[in-house]
Amino acid sequence: MSLVIRNLQRVIPIRRAPLRSKIEIVRRILGVQKFDLGIICVDNKNIQHINRIYRSRNVPTDVLSFPFHEHLKAGEFPLPDFPDDYNLGDIFLGVEYIFHQCKEDEDYNDVLTVTATHGLCHLLGFTHSTEAEWQQMFQKEKAVLDELGRRTGTRLQPLTRDLFGGS
């Protein structure tokens, strides 16, 4: 099904074609290419507004995920009853925040891919509220990013590698 990438900000230039290409591969790796997915790129002001409304945190952030299928357990696939249910949900990328968090040796477009992959894992029920949940999500992200690297020649690390003292 479709992958829609919308750029609703003008602060940071976005190269949608490379992001689309890599996220299409990530969707195939995860086996969810038949599901619709929206990725919306926003600036700090808008991601902070969304974060305040939905998470009661009045700060900008890197990624917010809004699953269409809200009660999935980690790694479960949605089981749609109707064609309109072939939807994973939406991922909001705080591209300005992500850009400013990039380290000198990191490629911004790679970090966008990693962050979108992290958001996609959230849409599939993965969380990182506890160390056990983080470990499960970290392993999934690492496996997906390793396979993406095998297919594209990139070396990408999971977003939450340092959350609970990971390497």
Side-chain angles (χ1 to χ4, degrees):
M1 298 294 269
S2 70
L3 167 61
V4 175
I5 299 177
R6 300 273 321 269
N7 183 17
L8 301 182
Q9 57 83 48
R10 292 203 166 121
V11 180
I12 304 294
I14 300 293
R15 295 176 51 217
R16 286 188 282 186
L19 179 60
R20 172 181 298 284
S21 171
K22 288 187 177 164
I23 296 304
E24 288 289 10
I25 295 168
V26 167
R27 290 171 70 209
R28 286 195 294 278
I29 292 167
L30 287 167
V32 294
Q33 66 273 20
K34 291 182 180 175
F35 290 84
D36 290 333
L37 172 64
I39 297 178
I40 302 97
C41 301
V42 296
D43 59 18
N44 277 350
K45 179 182 157 203
N46 285 300
I47 199 84
Q48 181 173 339
H49 178 75
I50 297 165
N51 203 14
R52 182 175 63 245
I53 290 170
Y54 291 98
R55 297 180 65 224
S56 300
R57 295 186 181 169
N58 192 22
V59 293
T61 190
D62 52 358
V63 61
L64 294 170
S65 298
F66 295 92
F68 185 84
H69 303 274
E70 294 185 31
H71 302 291
L72 289 179
K73 290 185 175 48
E76 284 184 350
F77 285 96
L79 300 171
D81 293 321
F82 304 100
D84 286 350
D85 292 344
Y86 278 86
N87 187 341
L88 292 178
D90 294 312
I91 299 168
F92 284 79
L93 295 178
V95 296
E96 181 180 2
Y97 183 90
I98 294 165
F99 180 82
H100 292 297
Q101 295 296 314
C102 277
K103 296 175 180 74
E104 282 187 30
D105 63 338
E106 291 179 313
D107 179 271
Y108 171 66
N109 292 300
D110 286 346
V111 176
L112 280 182
T113 300
V114 168
T115 308
T117 299
H118 180 84
L120 188 47
C121 286
H122 276 305
L123 295 181
L124 293 173
F126 289 92
T127 64
H128 45 76
S129 300
T130 67
E131 188 167 358
E133 291 171 344
W134 166 78
Q135 189 65 251
Q136 190 176 23
M137 184 168 186
F138 178 85
Q139 292 302 324
K140 176 54 89 174
E141 279 185 65
K142 183 165 178 14
V144 169
L145 294 171
D146 286 350
E147 179 59 21
L148 177 64
R150 193 184 68 68
R151 295 183 190 190
T152 64
T154 56
R155 288 188 47 144
L156 305 176
Q157 292 295 314
L159 187 64
T160 60
R161 65 183 172 270
D162 299 322
L163 189 63
F164 283 95
S167 55

